[in-house]
Amino acid sequence: MTLFSILRFPDPRLRKIAAPITQIDASVRALAADMAETMYAAPGIGLAATQIDVHRQIVVIDISEERNQLRVFINPRITRRDGQQVYEEGCLSVPGIYEKVERAATVRVEYLDLDARPQFLDADGLLAVCIQHEIDHLQGKVFVDHLSQLKQTRIRDKLAKQARKSAQAL
Ligand code: QAP
Ligand code: CO
């Protein structure tokens, strides 16, 4: 098992567009396991491959309290969206920043599982938010893109200040 390091906003590699996975083999299963380990260690509730600088369409999510309901989505696509909800989001690539984002209230996601079987999931609440957030990553988007320019500038400044501080501590 391997723990990956997570790219931090505004790293330009977070803007890359992930390619679909054409063959679900042992290397893809190993990638999913390593991504899950990285997400649990962080700790986080969702991680997209983009965040570990792997530009392939795979996402891991576990929103359960017990941390025992891992979901793996390969080539996920949202095929239905309904309503709207506002949720305070964070991101492992934007540490220490939490902001409200408006997204669809319910979504249907179509994807492949680790056995290459097509699946769909109807999600609402936090799971719906998390799926939309992670699919954004695969398309080179970060949740701060949904915020005003003023908020984006403040977040960049705050993260730059944090980075200077932690560099000084070395
Ligand atoms: C995406 O985010 C998400 O700032 C997953 O210091 C978040 O796992 C979807 C984390 C909220 C829906 C709602 C963030 C950990 C984890 C931080 C995460 C931090 C430590 C974020
Ligand atoms: Co994120």
Side-chain angles (χ1 to χ4, degrees), residues 5-7 11 13-14 16 48-55:
S5 63
I6 298 174
L7 300 178
D11 192 307
R13 291 170 290 180
L14 287 170
K16 291 194 183 181
T50 308
Q51 293 177 274
I52 56 161
D53 201 23
V54 171
H55 302 285

Side-chain angles (χ1 to χ4, degrees), residues 72-87:
V72 178
F73 299 91
I74 296 167
N75 301 343
R77 303 254 179 291
I78 292 171
T79 56
R80 278 193 200 181
R81 51 184 89 227
D82 248 298
Q84 57 190 49
Q85 64 174 326
V86 175
Y87 202 98

Side-chain angles (χ1 to χ4, degrees), residues 2-157:
T2 313
L3 276 187
F4 286 100
S5 63
I6 298 174
L7 300 178
R8 296 230 175 150
F9 178 82
D11 192 307
R13 291 170 290 180
L14 287 170
R15 299 304 179 188
K16 291 194 183 181
I17 299 195
I21 291 175
T22 51
Q23 197 175 330
I24 299 175
D25 55 16
S27 75
V28 171
R29 282 186 277 274
L31 174 62
D34 289 342
M35 285 175 62
E37 193 190 22
T38 302
M39 173 183 72
Y40 287 127
I45 59 170
L47 185 74
T50 308
Q51 293 177 274
I52 56 161
D53 201 23
V54 171
H55 302 285
R56 306 174 77 189
Q57 293 180 12
I58 179 167
V59 161
V60 295
I61 291 177
D62 188 344
I63 61 163
S64 70
E65 290 285 342
E66 306 76 22
R67 320 290 286 149
N68 60 0
Q69 285 172 48
L70 180 67
R71 299 170 186 272
V72 178
F73 299 91
I74 296 167
N75 301 343
R77 303 254 179 291
I78 292 171
T79 56
R80 278 193 200 181
R81 51 184 89 227
D82 248 298
Q84 57 190 49
Q85 64 174 326
V86 175
Y87 202 98
E88 185 154 284
E89 298 187 18
C91 179
L92 290 170
S93 295
V94 195
I97 307 284
Y98 302 87
E99 293 284 350
K100 287 178 178 168
V101 176
E102 185 183 307
R103 298 190 187 268
T106 64
V107 293
R108 172 169 289 180
V109 57
E110 297 188 25
Y111 62 99
L112 300 176
D113 67 18
L114 282 173
D115 299 312
R117 283 190 296 242
Q119 303 281 358
F120 76 88
L121 173 71
D122 289 320
D124 63 10
L126 176 59
L127 183 57
V129 174
C130 202
I131 288 167
Q132 293 173 81
H133 176 118
E134 302 308 336
I135 290 177
D136 268 3
H137 277 304
L138 299 180
Q139 295 166 349
K141 282 193 88 178
V142 181
F143 84 99
V144 301
D145 302 349
H146 293 272
L147 307 174
S148 69
Q149 281 304 323
L150 178 63
K151 279 189 176 170
Q152 291 188 32
T153 304
R154 285 184 179 157
I155 289 168
R156 278 171 195 272
D157 289 351

